[in-house]
């Protein structure tokens, strides 16, 4: 808590992640060490109606506004070492895969061109790793007739020619809203699965080491 810390926007306007500078021009990216951008996208909803997943980036920004970069465990402020900005959200249209995916590629390409992002699979084949923190594996081969549903993104990554599926780790998997096929897919493609039960039994440090 810092009594001198006064966020610019909480109840009005558009809050940025951790109250960091909002980057409105592509030319501002080159001066950043790292950039945050949101993708308010869910794809086809698998429960038959509206879901609030697309509001995730907005919710994360709203709660983050009360925090700073200071980490008491290490007695340092991350932003003393890193210059970070919030580049806003990608333009998404739920259900419109071509428009949304092209917008994502364009936004990430802009960040990569400015050297504000370390690795992108298309430009650095087989080098990108993914730490997927979730209760669900989300690696169905297809859900109904929708191969891009929210149940299937990691199946797409497993089969992406620029990805090495053995560098994908699913962390915290738990609960009955998983399916046998998903575990079979993870095993088939060599992805690592760390169950929530394993984290409790082995401890978070060992689980991070494994990841």
């Amino acid at each position: 808590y810092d009594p001198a810390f006064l966020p610019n926007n909480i109840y009005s306007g558009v809050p940025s992640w951790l109250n960091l500078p909002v980057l409105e021009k592509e030319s501002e990216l080159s001066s950043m060490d790292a950039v945050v951008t949101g993708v308010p996208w869910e794809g086809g909803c698998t429960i038959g109606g509206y879901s609030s997943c697309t509001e995730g980036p907005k919710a994360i920004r709203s709660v983050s506004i009360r925090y700073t970069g200071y980490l008491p465990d290490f007695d340092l402020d991350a932003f003393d070492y890193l210059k970070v900005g919030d580049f806003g959200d990608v333009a998404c249209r739920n259900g419109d895969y071509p428009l949304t995916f092209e917008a994502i590629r364009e936004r990430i390409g802009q960040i990569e061109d400015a050297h504000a992002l370390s690795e992108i699979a298309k430009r650095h084949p087989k080098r990108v790793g993914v730490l997927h923190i979730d209760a669900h594996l989300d690696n169905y081969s297809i859900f109904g007739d929708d191969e891009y549903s929210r149940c299937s993104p990691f199946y797409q990554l497993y089969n992406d020619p620029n990805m090495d599926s053995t560098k994908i780790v699913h962390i915290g998997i738990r609960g009955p809203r998983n399916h046998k096929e998903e575990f079979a897919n993870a095993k088939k493609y060599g992805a690592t699965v760390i169950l929530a039960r394993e984290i409790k039994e082995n401890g978070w440090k060992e689980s991070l080491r494994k990841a």
Side-chain angles (χ1 to χ4, degrees), residues 14-87:
V14 182
S16 67
W17 186 65
L18 290 178
N19 201 44
L20 291 169
V22 175
L23 309 177
E24 297 182 350
K25 299 177 181 178
E26 187 177 347
S27 59
E28 298 176 279
L29 293 172
S30 59
S31 65
M32 296 290 127
D33 296 308
V35 173
V36 174
T37 191
V39 182
W41 167 259
E42 180 181 19
C45 184
T46 57
I47 57 173
Y50 169 77
S51 161
S52 60
C53 292
T54 54
E55 298 181 5
K58 181 189 298 183
I60 290 170
R61 287 186 175 94
S62 294
V63 297
S64 77
I65 203 75
R66 305 175 190 281
Y67 297 90
T68 68
Y70 179 71
L71 304 171
D73 300 282
F74 305 100
D75 191 25
L76 62 81
D77 191 318
F79 301 133
D80 286 341
Y81 301 88
L82 294 172
K83 188 175 182 181
V84 187
D86 189 329
F87 197 31

Side-chain angles (χ1 to χ4, degrees), residues 163-183:
M163 288 293 297
D164 178 354
S165 57
T166 65
K167 290 185 171 72
I168 297 175
V169 184
H170 305 278
I171 306 172
I173 305 303
R174 62 194 182 278
R177 197 166 163 81
N178 286 284
H179 193 276
K180 182 184 291 187
E181 177 193 329
E182 296 179 280
F183 282 86

Side-chain angles (χ1 to χ4, degrees), residues 170-201:
H170 305 278
I171 306 172
I173 305 303
R174 62 194 182 278
R177 197 166 163 81
N178 286 284
H179 193 276
K180 182 184 291 187
E181 177 193 329
E182 296 179 280
F183 282 86
N185 283 338
K187 183 176 181 180
K188 175 182 176 181
Y189 289 96
T192 298
V193 177
I194 302 177
L195 301 171
R197 172 178 56 78
E198 293 181 62
I199 298 173
K200 291 181 180 179
E201 291 176 351

Side-chain angles (χ1 to χ4, degrees), residues 87-146:
F87 197 31
D89 286 342
V90 172
C92 298
R93 182 184 296 157
N94 203 26
D96 189 337
Y97 293 108
L99 182 147
T100 301
F101 289 179
E102 182 56 34
I104 293 171
R105 293 187 188 100
E106 180 182 1
R107 175 63 61 94
I108 298 302
Q110 291 172 335
I111 297 172
E112 172 73 2
D113 287 339
H115 304 292
L117 193 64
S118 59
E119 293 181 332
I120 295 296
K122 189 174 182 180
R123 305 185 188 205
H124 308 277
K126 307 296 184 180
R127 292 179 58 197
V128 176
V130 178
L131 299 179
H132 171 219
I133 303 172
D134 200 341
H136 315 117
L137 287 165
D138 292 339
N139 64 357
Y140 267 115
S141 57
I142 193 169
F143 186 85
D145 59 355
D146 187 355

